[in-house]
Amino acid sequence: MAGEEAAAAAAAPEAAGPGPAQPPAEARPDGGEAGNGGGYDGKCVFCRIARREEPGTALLPCEYEDLVCFRDIRPGAPHHYLVVPVEHMGNCKTLKKEHIPVGKAEGRKMKEKWCSMKKMVEVGKTVLQRNNFSDLNDVRMGFHWPPFCSISHLHLHVLAPASQLGFLSRLIYRINSYWFITAEQLIERLQTENAAS
């Protein structure tokens, strides 16, 4: 919501320092497109950021090649990062059971599919620790629930310290609201929905 609209202006001078320039990535030969998961959407600012096509957005170190992490350019907290899959995929409402890791088969299976939710959370925790934030009990991680997300590319908000969210941020990133779902709630929801089917 507040932060992801701002990501569209990621190439603006006030954004985080420039990242390394690389040639534009090609679209997938099989025609992966927005909302379908996988591939590249040249109109999606997060696809362009993930492929380093937005020089005004610096990517933070990330231990997984299928995910990127960068600072939200309109932070809702002293630490506000976005964890985004490199491959384009729709919002959190499009996720299925396979996006939750299952045992040791996760690595291979997830690489063929999409990123796993738990890997996104792990990256969020790691980037906080690398930026000298260690109280992982004072963190809010989650997703805006459609239609309350302005960029239709899955992205995890990582905000800390949650205890220092301002009034507007407490509203925008409110737990148990119609517009924001925590990563834990989403994982639980996917497990429950898939157990019922």
Side-chain angles (χ1 to χ4, degrees), residues 1-3 5 74-77 140 144 159 164-174 179:
M1 200 165 168
E5 295 101 40
R74 287 207 186 139
R140 179 145 323 150
H144 282 109
L159 299 110
Q164 292 182 24
L165 292 173
F167 174 76
L168 190 56
S169 293
R170 283 195 314 268
L171 181 63
I172 293 169
Y173 304 102
R174 184 176 166 200
W179 53 87

Side-chain angles (χ1 to χ4, degrees), residues 36-155:
N36 293 344
Y40 172 77
D41 180 354
K43 294 178 184 176
C44 172
V45 68
F46 287 174
C47 281
R48 294 192 311 268
I49 289 171
R51 287 169 173 73
R52 294 176 171 84
E53 295 173 7
E54 294 287 342
T57 303
L59 297 182
L60 301 170
C62 182
E63 57 269 27
Y64 296 107
E65 62 186 39
D66 58 341
L67 295 172
V68 294
C69 183
F70 51 93
R71 295 180 190 280
D72 193 303
I73 65 169
R74 287 207 186 139
H79 294 272
H80 188 169
Y81 308 101
L82 299 176
V83 179
V84 178
V86 172
E87 296 294 314
H88 186 88
M89 63 182 299
N91 56 53
C92 62
K93 203 170 183 177
T94 66
L95 296 176
K96 304 287 180 220
K97 180 182 179 180
E98 57 265 20
H99 299 111
I100 305 170
V102 259
K104 300 206 179 229
E106 176 202 353
R108 258 184 314 207
K109 184 177 180 185
M110 288 301 145
K111 194 160 183 127
E112 293 168 11
K113 281 289 193 181
W114 298 317
C115 68
S116 84
M117 298 289 307
K118 291 187 179 179
K119 275 179 25 179
M120 292 179 80
V121 170
E122 181 185 332
V123 167
K125 289 177 181 177
T126 300
V127 77
L128 286 171
Q129 291 169 333
R130 285 184 182 155
N131 285 281
N132 300 318
F133 185 82
S134 57
D135 184 4
L136 297 180
N137 293 317
D138 194 15
V139 174
R140 179 145 323 150
M141 290 193 209
F143 305 87
H144 282 109
W145 194 254
F148 302 102
C149 42
S150 61
I151 296 185
S152 188
H153 183 133
L154 184 69
H155 55 284

